[in-house]
Amino acid sequence: MSLHPLKSTSKVDLYVATNATDTSNNSLFFFLAALSSTIHIATIVATAVLVLTGSNVFPIEFESLPLILHEHSTRTKDLAWRFRNDFRNRILRPVYGLVYPVWTNGQIGDILEIFLSSEKDDMFSEGNLQMIRKVEDHVFSFKDYQSFYCQKNSTYECIKPWSILRLYDGTYSYVSPVFKAQPLRDRNVLCTAMKFNETREYLKFFLEKSYDPCRRQSKASKTRIFFPFGYPLSGGSSKHKIETFLVNDLKPELENMKDGFLKNIMELYYISELMFKYDVTQQAYKDMMLAGGSFLFIFVFMWFQTASFFITFFGILSIITSYLLTNLIYRYAFGFEYFGFFHIIAMFIILGIGADDVFVFYDTWRLSGNRKYSSVAHRLSDCYRKAAKTTFVTSLTTTVAFLVSAFSPLLPVKTFGLFSGILVAVNYICDLIYFPTAIMLYTTKIKPLMDKCCERICSPCSRFAICSKSNKSPCFMADVPDTSFLCSSKSTAAKDSSRLYNIDMWTSKSSVSSEASFDSPKSDTALQSPKSESQIEGGGKSEMKQKQKKTFEERSHVVNFLRNGFFDFLTLRASRFVIPIVFLAISIFFIYEALQLEPDNKQVQIYRSSHNYGKAKLWHYYEFQRNFDEEYTVLYLVWGLKPKDTSVCNLKSNNYCKGSTVWDQGFNPSTPEAQVALFKFCQRLENMTEVETNKLRIRRDAKTGKPGVDCFMTSLDRFLQADVDKNKQNGLYSPQVSMDIPLRKDNVTVFMENNDKIYRSQYPPAGYNRYLEIGVSYWLTNKYTNLPHKDYFVYDPLLGEEWLPGVSQLAQNSFLASYYGTRLRYVGIRVNLTISVYTLGYAEGKPIYDSWETFMREQLDKMPLSMKEGFQCTRNTWHWIMVQQVLAESALQGIVVGLSLACPILIITTMNFVIGIIATIYISLVTTCVIGIIPLVGWKLGVLESLNLCMVVGLSIDYVVHLAEAYNTSPHQDRRNRVRTMFEKMGLSVLSGAATTFGAAIILLFAQIQFLYEFGIFVMSTVSISLLFSFTFFPALMSICGPQGNTGCLITLLNKLCPCRRLRDKTQFEGNKWTLCNIICVTCHFNSLDEIVLDRFHTEDDSSDVRDVS
């Protein structure tokens, strides 16, 4: 049997088979239409029902960005130290004289921070100081601030705002007479304040980093004022009341001040935690509304391009339902409970990608109107095969690029990658099922109905009246083909329809051979317009010669420009060689810029820098000499604890999880060996050399010049020695008393016997050997007097004691329940560093972290077994370093994976390794240019930049895939005409997709959230660079070295290498069964099989054409 069974079939049999196929295809079409419509409607209804029933369909979190590595050691160690006191029977050490502000408004509920800036004059000139006082008085006396909201001291008076004015109103007069109340003109007050420790540390809160008040030429440009809000307020709901007052009352007043008496004098910015959290959520909702603008732009543009409201509506509807369906899958199938800023970005991404898929599919459908098919179903099948192939490749690469981010341990990055990857895939499937049915419904039902209505409503002489009953009508338009059969009545419908599918056409000998593929050069006649109706009916001559109908390419001005003028320019000898050289030079420049990219060491910025909160946040962290936040990193060396167990945490939500505490059961600092090891370790830290402190970034004490280390063993030893010496001199201790380290049973027993007013007789009990704890309790309780002393405030947070049932006893002279005979649950050593989490970058911070890890391991190796499980940790600093590392690795991983997949996908798609390699070079250059833009505009590698780089390959591959596929399927053999075909077939689709993506991104420039604004710039840059390269560099390169004929064809190469080549023959296909050879070498028949598929769509007579009614 022939390998081409359709060619051996009679024309009448093929016609009958075609009609049977049409019937089954119509049934399948209506089934798919019903199925896709049901899915879309069900998605919308399900989402609406879940929202109305109170289900958390969109678990929105806009107040923060949870960049947390839950399972990383820097995080688990940090959590272990933070929650070190979460254990039963914990010993509290109360002291006399400490008063906790439990009264109403005694604590701080929030702080309003107001920034004032003046570029015209010194900020601390007399006039500006007067203006600062005016601002302070205005806010301090505003409405109910003093009576209800201010923080109050123990005498129930409002605490004054914290500002530089406190140095002029007598608040610090006890420090020096210079600070007595005086006029605001004496600048020496500020210089004097720098000479006293208390006033110097206070003044630094209000001085910018570059300002020195003792230098006459130094000029200040900004300062700030703090207004503390009290907590708890009377009546409860304190936080809500403060937030309402700040947002509804005080914020409008601050705006009025900016536009009122401060206008043209000073700039004012403000921020508070509660106000920021409220406004950032509201701003996120406002910026989400910008998606409506993007939808409107894409809708109008798509309507213009498709010239069909129906097609546009269902295309946009498919995008919307894809987003909703993706959210249901993400929320309930995968169980994630986080919806943040990046999920809003996904909305804008799918607008561009979804519109691009619609354009490709619809333009392919319109282009197929120039060919001859036996039925609309065959036309759709051919269009479906072509469009689905190219959109599958672009969707696959983009999906994979996003899913790479889904493996990130950071929740915002992970959820964005997973959500966006699913979204692209779902959108592709929806387009694959839903949009073709919309096209068929429009073409077969809606469009004819609209044309019929147009005929009845419009004037018979209108150029849009397509249903003329007679060609003899004086107003018949010669350039409009006669399609009167569309208006036939039921009685004549059968006769009229026979003109479209006439059986005689199957026997025509003048038709194009069925063996010619419409993609082959021999099928050029198949691209011509269909014959007139009079010709089909048997040769009747019409009274007026009708013009041939123009093809879609001929009707499009854009396509005409691309395939003529633009093509002619690109294929000039000078252009073909100059353009690649210019673009390579540009790429080299951007590669150099890309090498300058470094991780962002600043905290995540949510608002744009031009926004009030964006400016206030930047000034708060980076402009002043001191902050109320942790200014310098504090490092802790910890024993007794192990890293937290975070396996109990729900890593799919943003709920704060502190994990489960894990104790070091072998920890025992009381053994003599452990005490000696700890004591020597403390001495080692306190006597480090300058080289060591610089390497480990240990901050030295400003007074003593010694390393800033708080180590309890040396302080305990000094206290005990001083106590023993003093009491021996006073005759209270016998000469035998000694409390040298290590504390043992013999010396501790004598010590306790000499303190019989504290310790009970016959103590310690048998089996108790924790003698270090006896000394620690005596020390921290100040000999059980519970009077505060310096060591108490330093070491009380660093040592945790546990009450032991049946062992621990109350001290006899204590009235505040102080115990002895306890067990140390944990110990810590505090080391002050010179680094800050707000300014420390990965490049600087990672070597410091590694140095501390190495140092700690070396010291632990020297310690006894009971002290080998210690670790070092910081609060957030080391963790932030690791977050930066993960972001950099994610970006690199996304690019590498994207490029690694792009090359084989392109080669397999085009089945030509030359085209695949050239396209991969294009993608690589586009990627490097986009990376180079980041440092060029002053950005660094932060969380958003990392996400952008993960998807840059996916976004840049879209255009080149369409063009490469058009080049590969061109009916021509030479590269020049193939490039022309590339512009003809896919130029408009690529331009349309780029325009919609670019237009959707432009809307984001109006967003105030930094993530959305920066993403808009990134997408615009990526689209612009990709489009520029795809329409200039790629065609120029293809016109120079693009494959001609079968050059680079994988099928040809496989055929040559096939060991069964000699056996390959049509007789191998017998009885519709494959022989072993064909099963092994199925690629040997690839070309033939493709010919069979194409032969199903092709007919042998022009009269079988289904006209392009789109």
Side-chain angles (χ1 to χ4, degrees), residues 36 197 253 353 364 488 885 892 1018:
S36 59
N197 291 334
E253 185 63 23
I353 295 176
T364 306
S488 302
Q885 181 180 11
L892 181 61
F1018 172 82

Side-chain angles (χ1 to χ4, degrees), residues 170-237:
T171 302
Y172 286 91
S173 59
Y174 65 91
V175 176
S176 172
V178 175
F179 304 119
K180 291 182 178 180
Q182 56 181 297
L184 299 175
R185 66 174 64 95
D186 189 0
R187 183 173 173 174
N188 291 327
V189 171
L190 303 182
C191 183
T192 305
M194 297 297 290
K195 300 177 181 179
F196 299 93
N197 291 334
E198 188 171 354
T199 54
R200 179 177 61 251
E201 296 306 313
Y202 175 80
L203 179 59
K204 285 182 178 180
F205 285 111
F206 314 103
L207 301 182
E208 54 189 317
K209 290 183 177 179
S210 60
Y211 180 71
D212 183 357
C214 295
R215 290 173 47 220
R216 285 293 176 182
Q217 63 272 26
S218 184
K219 179 182 176 181
S221 61
K222 57 181 70 72
T223 188
R224 55 183 173 179
I225 309 172
F226 297 94
F227 292 88
F229 282 73
Y231 180 89
L233 304 180
S234 59
S237 302

Side-chain angles (χ1 to χ4, degrees), residues 105-171:
N105 290 47
Q107 305 170 45
I108 296 179
D110 197 13
I111 298 176
L112 173 65
E113 191 173 356
I114 295 179
F115 300 88
L116 296 171
S117 175
S118 175
E119 300 294 339
K120 298 180 181 179
D121 195 9
D122 186 2
M123 195 66 201
F124 302 129
S125 64
E126 182 179 359
N128 284 338
L129 286 174
Q130 294 289 353
M131 190 59 65
I132 294 173
R133 172 171 286 175
K134 185 175 182 179
V135 171
E136 181 182 298
D137 293 343
H138 189 86
V139 176
F140 191 64
S141 60
F142 179 72
K143 281 193 174 181
D144 300 326
Y145 176 76
Q146 292 189 49
S147 60
F148 192 77
Y149 292 102
C150 70
Q151 184 189 13
K152 299 184 178 181
N153 56 25
S154 57
T155 60
Y156 214 65
E157 296 177 346
C158 275
I159 296 177
K160 292 182 179 180
W162 310 324
S163 74
I164 202 167
L165 299 180
R166 301 290 79 78
L167 297 173
Y168 289 89
D169 64 0
T171 302

Side-chain angles (χ1 to χ4, degrees), residues 548-561:
Q548 288 185 343
K549 179 184 175 182
K550 292 183 178 181
T551 63
F552 170 68
E553 295 97 321
E554 293 170 337
R555 297 197 303 269
S556 174
H557 298 293
V558 176
V559 175
N560 279 326
F561 167 74

Side-chain angles (χ1 to χ4, degrees), residues 886-902:
V886 168
L887 292 175
E889 291 175 350
S890 298
L892 181 61
Q893 184 181 14
I895 294 172
V896 171
V897 172
L899 292 177
S900 301
L901 290 176

Side-chain angles (χ1 to χ4, degrees), residues 109 187 275 507 569 598 716 1023 1041:
R187 183 173 173 174
M275 190 188 298
T507 60
F569 166 75
E598 57 184 21
L716 170 64
V1023 170
C1041 55

